[in-house]
Amino acid sequence: GESVGLHLPTLSVQEGDNSIINCAYSNSASDYFIWYKQESGKGPQFIIDIRSNMDKRQGQRVTVLLNKTVKHLSLQIAATQPGDSAVYFCAENRAGGYNKLIFGAGTRLAVHP
Amino acid sequence: SAVISQKPSRDICQRGTSLTIQCQVDSQVTMMFWYRQQPGQSLTLIATANQGSEATYESGFVIDKFPISRPNLTFSTLTVSNMSPEDSSIYLCSVESVLLYREGLAGGPDTQYFGPGTRLTVL
């Protein structure tokens, strides 16, 4: 089995409910934020991104909210499905010569039927 | 959309040996990166693979332990040298390119896309 997500905080939700995954980032100078989904045995997959000049961005069933005042990022998944079960990482991009992604600790989302 | 592949997908190695991991992209990309993901943990950047010049390493990672090559715009290798059990991790390459963005890939010109990873176990 895969070791990704074994020791990460877990969010358990019922299928059909909405999920909210939170992330605190560290650098107030970061200007680009990305949410990735990592399924067992796979690399991180891009979900949605947001830049620091925005507070909210919506995609298909997903919404990202950015609160720069408290350096907080959240990912909302509407009508959560079993296929959404994975580990979710936020990442911040610290500008400064080249793009360097700093990843958050990750949250494991478990969707129950 | 860009396809990023890594070889091998997994390996079990003996202490003291070295393993070279390959990352191949089916499109030319500007930037290539190597990350390590230790068991149950998040991703940590090892280095940026620069085409035609030495890689740029992050704090805590050195060239002697993790030599990197990038001979062209579609290929890079990471070698894990003189391995110990502490090197057991998933090693991931990622790419970033404004060209991928212009091809219609989701995200922006500075979005990083990841390969499937190489799962390394050192005994």
Side-chain angles (χ1 to χ4, degrees):
Chain A
E2 279 301 321
S3 59
V4 173
L6 269 182
H7 307 296
L8 299 173
T10 298
L11 174 65
S12 294
V13 300
Q14 291 295 122
E15 182 178 357
D17 287 351
N18 297 331
S19 303
I20 299 177
I21 300 171
N22 296 303
C23 175
Y25 64 92
S26 57
N27 192 336
S28 56
S30 294
D31 58 3
Y32 180 46
F33 306 87
I34 308 171
W35 279 100
Y36 289 95
K37 171 186 181 183
Q38 188 174 28
E39 296 176 280
S40 182
K42 297 183 180 180
Q45 174 190 358
F46 170 89
I47 301 174
I48 192 168
D49 58 356
I50 190 168
R51 300 200 183 264
S52 58
N53 61 350
M54 302 175 70
D55 298 322
K56 178 179 179 179
R57 190 149 190 243
Q58 288 184 292
Q60 188 177 11
R61 282 201 308 119
V62 294
T63 301
V64 56
L65 298 178
L66 175 62
N67 184 331
K68 295 181 286 294
T69 302
V70 295
K71 294 189 287 186
H72 183 268
L73 199 65
S74 70
L75 176 71
Q76 300 177 3
I77 305 173
T80 313
Q81 302 168 0
D84 295 325
S85 294
V87 176
Y88 290 81
F89 293 100
C90 67
E92 60 183 295
N93 187 329
R94 297 183 180 177
Y98 62 92
N99 287 324
K100 175 178 177 176
L101 278 184
I102 305 297
F103 278 79
T107 298
R108 188 169 73 91
L109 177 65
V111 183
H112 303 285
Chain B
S1 61
V3 174
I4 306 166
S5 59
Q6 288 186 232
K7 289 181 182 180
S9 58
R10 60 178 65 239
D11 208 341
I12 300 173
C13 300
Q14 295 298 319
R15 180 195 300 261
T17 62
S18 298
L19 176 72
T20 296
I21 302 167
Q22 299 180 2
C23 179
Q24 178 76 54
V25 194
D26 68 351
S27 303
Q28 291 188 341
V29 294
T30 312
M31 306 291 289
M32 296 183 78
F33 305 89
W34 286 98
Y35 288 80
R36 180 176 72 183
Q37 187 174 26
Q38 294 177 299
Q41 297 192 27
S42 187
L43 284 74
T44 301
L45 179 64
I46 298 172
T48 302
N50 300 310
Q51 195 244 337
S53 65
E54 193 171 285
T56 304
Y57 289 85
E58 297 301 307
S59 176
F61 298 97
V62 295
I63 188 171
D64 290 346
K65 177 65 176 178
F66 297 101
I68 288 171
S69 79
R70 188 172 173 199
N72 55 50
L73 295 177
T74 64
F75 185 78
S76 178
T77 67
L78 167 75
T79 299
V80 186
S81 303
N82 189 25
M83 289 183 285
S84 67
E86 291 71 34
D87 294 319
S88 297
S89 294
I90 301 171
Y91 291 88
L92 296 140
C93 73
S94 73
V95 305
E96 174 200 305
S97 176
V98 65
L99 298 177
L100 296 178
Y101 174 64
R102 290 175 184 168
E103 287 177 9
L105 216 58
D110 49 356
T111 301
Q112 289 187 29
Y113 304 94
F114 285 83
T118 295
R119 283 139 189 86
L120 171 62
T121 301
V122 184
L123 302 178

